[in-house]
Amino acid sequence: MSESVESTSPKTPTDAHPGPLAGVRVIDLATVVMGPYACQILGDLGADVIKVESPHGDLARISVPSRHPQMGALALNVNRNKRSVVLDLKTDEGKADLHGLLEDTDVLVTNMRPGALTRLGFDYASLDERYPALIYCSAQGFRSDSPLADRAAYDEIVQAASGLTDLMLRATGTANYVPTILADKVCALTIVYSVLAAVISQRATGLGQHVEIPMTDTMLAFNLVEHLGGHTFEPPVGPTGFYRSLGTGHAAVETKDGWACILPYSEKNVRDFFVASGHGDLNEDPRFVSWAKVREDMSVLYTELERIARERTTAEWETLCAEHSIPMAPVLQIEDATESDYVRDGHLLDVAEHPTEGGYRSIGIPIRFSRTPAAVTRPTPTLGQHNEEILGDRARRTQEDDA
């Protein structure tokens, strides 16, 4: 058993209160962010997650910055609550070891391309008959039954293929990518809830199944919730796109001393904001006489918000908006997260001690269970740290069974 993370978080599981997924074993045969992040969440929820890595290690391990080789910051943020085993799946021995692990596994998560999995003999069709109770979750850029199945697809590729980059172009005039790996993380969350649903079915029927998460399909469905717009109807009754998000000036505003999101979200919010800010005359302006008029061109409202915001400090706006129930938040700088009372009090970024990396900030678990708390019980493992613990234990049990 590896050393536990030392943390100020009160959410440490006990024998009386195991995580909600205690007793579920997951094989993490995934790399970089999407699959590993999903499996980390499953581990946070109490699953026993075994991370299977090649002799070279997951690509996230060589991310920068880092203190030591193979332990980059990104790897630390998506691989806690796991045990690491190194297997060379190009060899018969490595394949045999993985098969041995699958005998006691509930869920396999992989983001390897379908063609590579087939060549290795670890595609769903090759495993289904041998492990009928196994939940086999595969995630890749495009559907496995499409001509694009084996195309390389990283987050930016999926942002473009799912229409997200076009939305950025329409909103900003530049075809930028969203500056966070949104597709990877949304699809990771999709993996988690899909696996949980399959586990419920598995517990009821004793049978596993193939769960496929095509990233482009997932993100397209995600984007179309609001942006299908008038094309929701057949024939269309208006353009695609969500009027709030695509209006010019849909952005945080500069205050007297910083930045803030000030977002009057209803007709009452707009009227209250104008009066409270000392600009009640705008309520008689033809551009704001009704909510229907405002919605015709949200950029008009955004322009006034930008102008008025400079008249007060961020703190003053926070007080004023709270008094009138107008949605508002100061813009949090990532560097300031450690100084935020909200972040600190919620244990969202605790300082922990890693056995090899020393002090580091452990990103907290944002969900809370009253009876089966999620917890950080293992720091990110070093490459192959648990080979003897896992493979040696399995070999010993096999010998005992043979005897």
Side-chain angles (χ1 to χ4, degrees):
M1 190 73 76
S2 65
E3 297 92 334
S4 295
V5 170
E6 297 175 5
S7 170
T8 58
S9 171
K11 303 174 190 176
T12 300
T14 66
D15 292 338
H17 297 286
L21 289 184
V24 175
R25 172 166 285 185
V26 177
I27 295 293
D28 174 3
L29 186 63
T31 61
V32 195
V33 172
M34 177 177 58
Y37 184 41
C39 290
Q40 173 175 281
I41 294 172
L42 296 173
D44 290 348
L45 298 178
D48 175 21
V49 180
I50 299 174
K51 182 176 180 65
V52 174
E53 302 186 67
S54 74
H56 299 292
D58 184 347
L59 282 174
R61 287 190 176 277
I62 60 174
S63 64
V64 293
S66 66
R67 285 177 177 158
H68 300 99
Q70 298 280 15
M71 294 298 283
L74 183 57
L76 289 177
N77 291 338
V78 296
N79 286 302
R80 71 183 176 213
N81 283 337
K82 302 178 187 182
R83 296 183 287 169
S84 170
V85 170
V86 169
L87 298 179
D88 187 349
L89 297 183
K90 295 179 180 179
T91 68
D92 291 340
E93 181 182 3
K95 292 177 182 178
D97 283 335
L98 181 53
H99 276 294
L101 293 177
L102 288 173
E103 292 173 1
D104 300 317
T105 292
D106 297 289
V107 181
L108 169 69
V109 176
T110 181
N111 61 353
M112 295 175 64
R113 296 185 215 173
L117 288 164
T118 299
R119 289 191 296 273
L120 292 170
F122 287 100
D123 55 304
Y124 178 68
S126 299
L127 299 180
D128 180 32
E129 185 174 351
R130 185 168 177 177
Y131 310 106
L134 179 67
I135 296 166
Y136 184 104
C137 181
S138 61
Q140 67 284 326
F142 304 93
R143 290 189 309 278
S144 61
D145 61 355
S146 76
L148 306 180
D150 276 311
R151 286 201 180 177
Y154 290 91
D155 190 272
E156 294 87 349
I157 301 301
V158 175
Q159 287 195 35
S162 65
L164 187 55
T165 306
D166 174 61
L167 292 173
M168 291 295 292
L169 175 63
R170 292 164 68 175
T172 69
T174 305
N176 291 324
Y177 305 120
V178 177
T180 183
I181 44 177
L182 186 66
D184 275 343
K185 291 186 286 186
V186 166
C187 292
L189 297 177
T190 305
I191 290 171
V192 172
Y193 72 68
S194 301
V195 164
L196 295 180
V199 167
I200 292 173
S201 175
Q202 180 196 58
R203 293 303 190 253
T205 66
L207 297 174
Q209 59 186 301
H210 186 190
V211 179
E212 181 175 341
I213 314 292
M215 296 177 70
T216 297
D217 304 48
T218 300
M219 287 303 298
L220 185 61
F222 180 83
N223 293 330
L224 290 179
V225 168
E226 76 275 35
H227 286 295
L228 188 56
H231 283 228
T232 300
F233 302 94
E234 183 57 41
V237 298
T240 57
F242 186 51
Y243 69 96
R244 278 190 175 278
S245 303
L246 298 180
T248 303
H250 181 243
V253 290
E254 190 171 5
T255 66
K256 186 180 288 187
D257 65 347
W259 293 85
C261 171
I262 301 175
L263 194 68
Y265 211 77
S266 65
E267 182 172 7
K268 183 178 186 303
N269 279 167
V270 172
R271 291 188 170 277
D272 288 348
F273 177 79
F274 285 154
V275 171
S277 66
H279 296 274
D281 58 303
L282 285 173
N283 284 322
E284 307 306 319
D285 189 306
R287 299 172 300 171
F288 304 112
V289 292
S290 69
W291 189 236
K293 189 66 177 176
V294 173
R295 287 186 301 179
E296 287 180 8
D297 186 358
M298 292 296 293
S299 62
V300 175
L301 175 61
Y302 297 150
T303 297
E304 290 297 337
L305 288 175
E306 183 180 13
R307 179 179 66 84
I308 295 170
R310 296 190 179 94
E311 298 175 357
R312 286 176 168 82
T313 66
T314 299
E316 289 170 341
W317 281 122
E318 187 169 20
T319 299
L320 181 147
C321 289
E323 289 173 350
H324 296 276
S325 195
I326 297 167
M328 183 275 181
V331 171
L332 175 69
Q333 291 186 325
I334 295 297
E335 294 86 345
D336 293 340
T338 55
E339 305 302 321
S340 164
D341 290 340
Y342 184 84
V343 171
R344 183 170 53 251
D345 293 346
H347 298 284
L348 299 176
L349 201 61
D350 283 337
V351 175
E353 188 71 20
H354 192 281
T356 63
E357 304 310 299
Y360 77 111
R361 289 191 171 93
S362 177
I363 301 171
I365 300 172
I367 52 178
R368 298 186 173 192
F369 294 82
S370 63
R371 190 172 63 82
T372 56
V376 179
T377 58
R378 294 177 181 271
T380 295
T382 55
L383 181 61
Q385 178 180 337
H386 300 96
N387 267 50
E388 174 56 28
E389 176 182 317
I390 295 172
L391 299 182
D393 180 62
R394 188 179 69 80
R396 286 187 290 273
R397 284 190 286 113
T398 300
Q399 291 174 355
E400 291 171 359
D401 292 341
D402 291 342

